[in-house]
């Protein structure tokens, strides 16, 4: 076993030495060439250098993808553009990262070489947040408010719907605030951004809550506290207007109106 490890170690050192020598020779040749010669010869010299490096063992044998959930392995491989057996040193890391980050579910990507023969791709995928109602069209947005391209919104009927001009951009911060009261946040089925200033929150597809422009978080916390104490939202309420300081105007499903302080 020790003999086998020693042979593997010598093999790796031999490959590394070959690579260093190849790099030095290539750089020297390029420095000796004039400007006119370099323009036509660099590509051929580099191709030869890459071929020699692959022969020395520096070739793609494995692609390791970390952080993948919705993005498929095949999508990553196609975007990476490196086929098995190709020179690993010839992979354009920056271009590969750009192509991978163009995939629908990918928010951020890192690509690196684990020499001699492994490419490692680390992904941060987008987190779906809501369906954005744009009037005529619908789109799925992520936790940064950006549209996730290529998705059919009809496949995400479990997501809340956001409406109103500027709603997609403003929604992430609003959902973060709503999440401070998880019992109520779990019942949110929609948000409407009104005049770019305040929000109406829709619960269980049947209750509309008009939150104030100022003191939004305090109003939401107050509603959650009242619901915990009195189970207010389990009744036949259709609308709750909290835009008035210290008061809540309730409208029942039968159009009856009540006021609470």
């Amino acid at each position: 076993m020790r003999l086998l490890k020693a042979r593997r170690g010598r093999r790796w050192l031999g490959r590394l030495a070959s690579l260093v020598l190849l790099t030095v020779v290539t750089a020297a040749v390029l420095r000796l060439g004039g400007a006119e010669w370099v323009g036509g010869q660099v590509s051929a010299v580099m191709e030869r250098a890459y071929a020699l490096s692959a022969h020395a063992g520096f070739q793609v044998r494995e692609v390791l993808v970390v952080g993948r959930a919705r993005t498929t392995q095949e999508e990553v491989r196609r975007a990476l553009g490196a086929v098995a057996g190709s020179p690993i040193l010839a992979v354009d890391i920056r271009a590969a990262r750009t192509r991978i980050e163009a995939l629908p579910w990918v928010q951020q990507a890192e690509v690196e070489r684990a020499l001699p023969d492994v490419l490692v791709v680390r992904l941060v995928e987008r987190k779906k947040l809501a369906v954005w109602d744009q009037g005529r069209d619908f789109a799925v947005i992520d936790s940064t408010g950006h549209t996730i391209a290529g998705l059919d919104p009809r496949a995400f009927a479990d997501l809340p719907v956001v409406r109103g001009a500027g709603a997609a951009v403003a929604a992430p911060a609003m959902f973060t605030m709503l999440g401070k009261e998880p019992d109520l946040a779990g019942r949110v089925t929609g948000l409407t951004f009104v005049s770019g200033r305040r929000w109406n929150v829709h619960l269980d597809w049947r209750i509309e809550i008009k939150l104030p422009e100022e003191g939004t978080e305090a109003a939401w916390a107050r509603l959650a506290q009242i619901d915990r104490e009195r189970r207010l939202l389990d009744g036949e309420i259709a609308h709750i207007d909290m835009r008035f300081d210290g008061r809540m105007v309730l409208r029942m499903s039968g159009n009856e109106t009540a006021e609470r302080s």
Side-chain angles (χ1 to χ4, degrees):
M1 183 63 70
R2 290 181 180 177
L3 179 61
L4 179 59
K5 290 183 178 179
R7 288 178 177 174
R8 288 177 177 174
R10 287 195 295 270
R11 190 181 304 125
W12 164 251
L13 289 175
R15 290 177 179 178
L16 184 59
S18 299
L19 177 62
V20 171
L21 178 61
L22 174 64
T23 303
V24 172
V25 172
T26 301
V29 171
L30 292 178
R31 281 199 300 269
L32 291 174
E36 295 180 0
W37 179 87
V38 170
Q41 298 299 319
V42 168
S43 179
V45 171
M46 293 308 298
E47 286 183 7
R48 177 58 178 164
Y50 288 140
L52 290 174
S53 70
H55 183 71
F58 294 89
Q59 58 181 274
V60 178
R61 296 189 184 277
E62 182 182 358
V63 176
L64 178 62
V65 184
V66 180
R68 180 185 65 83
R70 293 184 175 272
T71 305
T72 67
Q73 187 89 8
E74 183 58 30
E75 285 177 318
V76 175
R77 287 180 179 275
R78 285 200 302 265
L80 193 58
V83 299
S86 61
I88 195 170
L89 299 179
V91 177
D92 188 331
I93 297 295
R94 183 176 298 180
R97 184 182 64 205
T98 298
R99 291 192 299 269
I100 293 171
E101 288 182 342
L103 296 174
W105 281 104
V106 178
Q107 179 175 330
Q108 183 178 349
E110 292 182 1
V111 181
E112 62 183 23
R113 301 179 183 90
L115 296 177
D117 54 11
V118 179
L119 287 172
V120 182
V121 180
R122 293 183 174 86
L123 302 181
V124 176
E125 291 191 327
R126 302 181 189 277
K127 296 180 180 178
K128 62 185 188 301
L129 180 68
V131 172
W132 179 25
D133 181 354
Q134 305 173 71
R136 294 184 178 180
D137 298 311
F138 293 83
V140 178
I141 60 173
D142 65 13
S143 57
T144 66
H146 291 90
T147 299
I148 304 177
L151 301 186
D152 184 354
R154 293 173 295 183
F156 298 89
D158 59 317
L159 293 179
V161 178
V162 297
R163 300 180 178 89
V169 175
M174 185 60 179
F175 276 110
T176 297
M177 190 279 289
L178 295 176
K180 295 179 179 180
E181 298 293 344
D183 290 340
L184 285 190
R187 299 172 63 177
V188 173
T189 52
L191 295 176
T192 301
F193 203 27
V194 182
S195 301
R197 298 194 309 270
R198 65 168 198 84
W199 293 91
N200 290 347
V201 180
H202 306 271
L203 301 182
D204 304 328
W205 301 109
R206 65 181 181 85
I207 304 174
E208 181 182 49
I209 301 164
K210 296 181 178 181
L211 293 174
E213 181 178 351
E214 297 181 1
T216 306
E217 184 173 341
W220 182 246
R222 178 169 170 246
L223 177 63
Q225 182 63 33
I226 292 174
D227 187 57
R228 281 192 292 268
E229 295 173 351
R230 309 178 191 178
R231 310 306 303 172
L232 177 67
L233 300 174
D234 290 343
E236 296 299 319
I237 293 175
H239 300 273
I240 301 177
D241 195 339
M242 303 186 72
R243 293 175 295 171
F244 310 101
D245 292 339
R247 292 186 296 135
M248 295 173 56
V249 177
L250 313 179
R251 179 173 297 175
M252 314 304 287
S253 58
N255 289 325
E256 296 179 10
T257 302
E259 183 175 314
R260 290 177 180 265
S261 59

